[in-house]
């Protein structure tokens, strides 16, 4: 694979796939720019050497059509500020004028294309869409670590149109180096902490993590599906009914594989999804009617933190509760502090995933962990030893 630092981009037009899937507030202002900052080295390298940068990204989970809250136009100001130059936004990038605009621009120009996922062919991995995109440039750089595990048009299929004119960016290089070093020196016990809203995206990951971890902690919204599968009354808590059998299987599998699966034992519940709702604490197996669990309780915190503090390697993806609201931040915060303490005592801690990174930043812990990855899913897939389509497409 070519190293980006050996390539001179003078007079070249580089299509750079980045991961600008950043959190925005209700006013559509970027609240955490880490992922944009992460891609700056690559963009600057291209434009400083006299090339043009055409940036491709996705934002959020639109359903294959335009939705203004997911438009990348919301990112233009932040990107321009960070690059200290004007960024040209191209909404209709497949029209002829877009190619002309890029071709006729000055060296050093930066273009940002509209959200790739507004086109349903992106997630379908449609080759003809990838070919249309490829016409916009003559080099392809994948610096989207967070989407390397996706086989989408702009993350993997597109690479086929660039023969030997493709490489990964500085961010992907750095991420891969860090992950390789964890895999080489995995000290035990290894603990994975998995949280967040949904099981569906993380089922396969949980299963494969069983092969590398001693402890697997499950918190956040996804824990309630496990509790329901085990016969608990979770009232209005988040649940994925179609995943209950799978959750049960995962509990059995943990036993068979000698993995210590730690589920929450108590829950902080709210009467509605709001910081100011009625709040109570309960056993997680008997959440009062009309309430939903939004955070893990104190007993669960103690259970989880005890395991974390004994660990030598910690992998964390996904918050323990609705950490964005102060009423439900406690579980994520305490778990974060335990990870920081374990790190201080010599453990290696790897944190990945947009929400986990936002959480540790919120609690001022980003410098107290060993490595913060910009990608959650990609990080876990790589640790599982799975091929990442975005990477394979470059290595071809
Ligand atoms: P994910 O994208 O699956 O990692 O989910 C992250 C989101 O899960 C965060 O925005 C949290 O607010 C949310 N979350 C965590 N715990 C819960 C819960 N118990 N109920 C609802 N949402 C939750």
């Amino acid at each position: 694979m070519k190293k980006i630092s050996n390539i001179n981009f003078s007079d070249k037009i580089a299509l750079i796939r980045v991961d600008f899937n950043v959190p925005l507030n209700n006013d559509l202002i970027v609240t955490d720019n880490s992922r944009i900052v992460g891609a700056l080295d690559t963009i600057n390298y291209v434009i400083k050497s006299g090339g043009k940068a055409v940036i491709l990204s996705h934002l959020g989970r639109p359903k294959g059509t335009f939705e203004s809250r997911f438009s990348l136009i919301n990112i233009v100001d932040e990107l321009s500020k960070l690059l200290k130059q004007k960024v040209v936004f191209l909404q209709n990038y497949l029209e002829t004028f877009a190619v002309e605009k890029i071709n006729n621009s000055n060296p050093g120009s930066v273009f940002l294309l509209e959200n790739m996922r507004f086109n349903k062919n992106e997630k379908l991995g449609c080759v003809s869409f990838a070919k249309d995109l490829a016409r916009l440039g003559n080099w392809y750089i994948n610096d989207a670590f967070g989407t390397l595990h996706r086989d989408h048009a702009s993350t993997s299929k597109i690479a086929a149109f660039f023969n030997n004119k493709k490489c990964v960016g500085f961010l992907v290089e750095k991420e891969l180096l860090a992950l390789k070093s964890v895999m080489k020196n995995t000290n035990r016990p290894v603990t994975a902490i998995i949280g967040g809203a949904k099981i569906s995206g993380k089922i396969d990951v949980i299963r494969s993590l069983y092969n590398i971890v001693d402890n697997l902690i499950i918190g956040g919204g996804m824990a309630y599906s496990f509790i329901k599968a085990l016969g608990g009354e979770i009232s209005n808590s988040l649940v994925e009914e179609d995943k209950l059998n799978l959750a049960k299987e995962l509990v059995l599998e943990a036993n068979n594989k000698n993995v210590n699966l730690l589920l929450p034992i108590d829950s902080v519940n709210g009467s509605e999804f709001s910081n100011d709702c009625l709040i109570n604490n309960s056993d997680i197996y008997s959440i009062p009617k009309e309430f939903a669990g939004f955070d893990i309780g104190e007993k669960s915190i103690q259970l989880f933190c005890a395991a974390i503090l004994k660990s030598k390697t910690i992998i964390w993806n996904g918050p323990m509760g609705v950490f964005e609201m102060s009423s439900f931040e406690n579980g994520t915060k305490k778990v974060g502090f335990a990870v920081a303490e374990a790190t201080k005592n010599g453990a290696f801690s790897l944190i990945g995933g947009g929400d986990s990174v936002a959480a540790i930043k919120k609690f001022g812990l980003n410098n107290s962990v060993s490595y913060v990855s910009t990608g959650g899913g990609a990080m876990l897939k790589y640790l599982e030893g799975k091929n990442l389509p975005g990477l394979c497409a470059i290595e071809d």
Side-chain angles (χ1 to χ4, degrees):
M1 190 161 55
K2 282 194 169 65
K3 269 189 95 67
I4 184 168
S5 50
N6 294 333
I7 300 161
N8 181 350
F9 286 96
S10 171
D11 293 328
K12 308 220 165 61
I13 303 172
L15 299 190
I16 312 177
R17 180 49 159 106
V18 298
D19 179 3
F20 284 175
N21 187 23
V22 291
L24 302 170
N25 63 16
N26 290 339
D27 299 322
L28 301 175
I29 305 288
V30 176
T31 53
D32 179 357
N33 65 7
S34 322
R35 284 181 163 172
I36 306 179
V37 171
L40 292 180
D41 283 351
T42 297
I43 302 169
N44 276 322
Y45 183 75
V46 168
I47 58 178
K48 297 266 152 53
S49 62
K52 302 174 191 179
V54 178
I55 301 173
L56 296 70
S57 180
H58 73 284
L59 172 65
R61 292 178 180 156
K63 304 267 177 290
T65 50
F66 178 83
E67 278 180 73
S68 56
R69 69 193 165 120
F70 294 133
S71 173
L72 279 166
I73 202 161
N74 302 315
I75 312 293
V76 170
D77 285 351
E78 186 69 24
L79 180 60
S80 307
K81 197 174 82 194
L82 290 166
L83 285 172
K84 301 191 187 74
Q85 77 169 65
K86 185 176 174 239
V87 170
V88 181
F89 181 68
L90 292 176
Q91 187 172 30
N92 301 313
Y93 52 83
L94 293 183
E95 289 179 13
T96 324
F97 87 94
V99 181
E100 285 166 6
K101 206 163 180 173
I102 295 168
N103 287 344
N104 296 334
S105 65
N106 292 326
S109 300
V110 179
F111 297 86
L112 175 64
L113 308 189
E114 181 54 289
N115 193 338
M116 290 290 116
R117 292 193 187 165
F118 285 170
N119 190 319
K120 64 178 184 339
N121 292 323
E122 163 68 354
K123 284 180 85 173
L124 293 173
C126 173
V127 174
S128 69
F129 176 50
K131 192 174 178 185
D132 288 342
L133 287 171
R135 283 198 197 106
L136 297 170
N138 45 31
W139 259 87
Y140 175 70
I141 304 173
N142 194 334
D143 209 21
F145 180 74
T147 49
L148 275 188
H149 60 310
R150 307 274 184 217
D151 197 9
H152 294 170
S154 73
T155 61
S156 69
K157 294 291 193 289
I158 190 171
F161 299 96
F162 291 89
N163 292 320
N164 58 350
K165 293 185 171 168
K166 53 189 174 185
C167 62
V168 296
F170 291 109
L171 175 67
V172 168
E173 273 184 2
K174 190 178 87 180
E175 295 267 8
L176 293 177
L177 206 69
L179 292 180
K180 276 181 195 153
S181 80
V182 183
M183 288 175 79
K184 254 199 234 147
N185 320 300
T186 315
N187 293 323
R188 300 204 162 271
V190 180
T191 298
I193 310 163
I194 305 292
K198 288 191 160 185
I199 304 188
S200 33
K202 292 176 187 164
I203 286 273
D204 292 338
V205 167
I206 293 174
R207 190 158 267 151
S208 329
L209 280 171
Y210 282 168
N211 299 324
I212 54 173
V213 303
D214 302 292
N215 303 304
L216 193 114
I217 292 175
I218 294 188
M222 70 161 73
Y224 297 90
S225 291
F226 280 86
I227 301 301
K228 179 154 187 185
L230 294 173
E233 173 51 76
I234 59 164
S235 297
N236 293 346
S237 309
L238 214 56
V239 65
E240 285 172 85
E241 293 286 350
D242 58 332
K243 296 288 179 292
L244 297 183
N245 280 336
L246 215 50
K248 234 189 245 172
E249 278 171 28
L250 286 173
V251 173
L252 288 176
E253 231 175 281
N255 261 336
N256 295 339
K257 293 202 162 160
N258 265 334
V259 169
N260 183 24
L261 179 67
L262 296 172
L263 289 166
I265 40 187
D266 55 352
S267 173
V268 180
N269 315 310
S271 56
E272 57 186 289
F273 193 75
S274 135
N275 199 35
D276 307 315
C277 62
L278 284 177
I279 294 173
N280 62 39
N281 296 280
S282 72
D283 186 302
I284 199 164
Y285 286 85
S286 46
I287 295 181
K289 271 203 172 54
E290 312 295 336
F291 280 80
F294 293 134
D295 194 11
I296 55 173
E298 280 299 335
K299 289 184 192 148
S300 315
I301 291 172
Q302 276 176 28
L303 177 76
F304 292 179
C305 291
I308 291 166
L309 290 171
K310 283 188 214 138
S311 304
K312 289 279 171 270
T313 304
I314 301 162
I315 302 159
W316 184 11
N317 177 295
M320 297 290 97
V322 186
F323 73 96
E324 298 92 337
M325 299 183 194
S326 56
S327 305
F328 305 110
E329 66 174 18
N330 195 39
T332 307
K333 188 173 176 178
K334 296 258 174 71
V335 160
F337 274 92
V339 171
E341 198 177 328
T343 312
K344 208 165 95 192
N345 296 335
F348 187 92
S349 53
L350 184 62
I351 320 296
D355 286 299
S356 329
V357 176
I360 60 158
K361 279 196 164 173
K362 179 176 180 191
F363 307 127
L365 294 170
N366 37 324
N367 293 322
S368 310
V369 295
S370 313
Y371 188 76
V372 180
S373 172
T374 54
M379 170 185 100
L380 294 174
K381 279 262 153 58
Y382 190 84
L383 293 174
E384 284 169 41
K386 292 257 168 73
N387 280 336
L388 304 178
L391 199 56
C392 295
I394 299 281
E395 283 167 342
D396 268 354

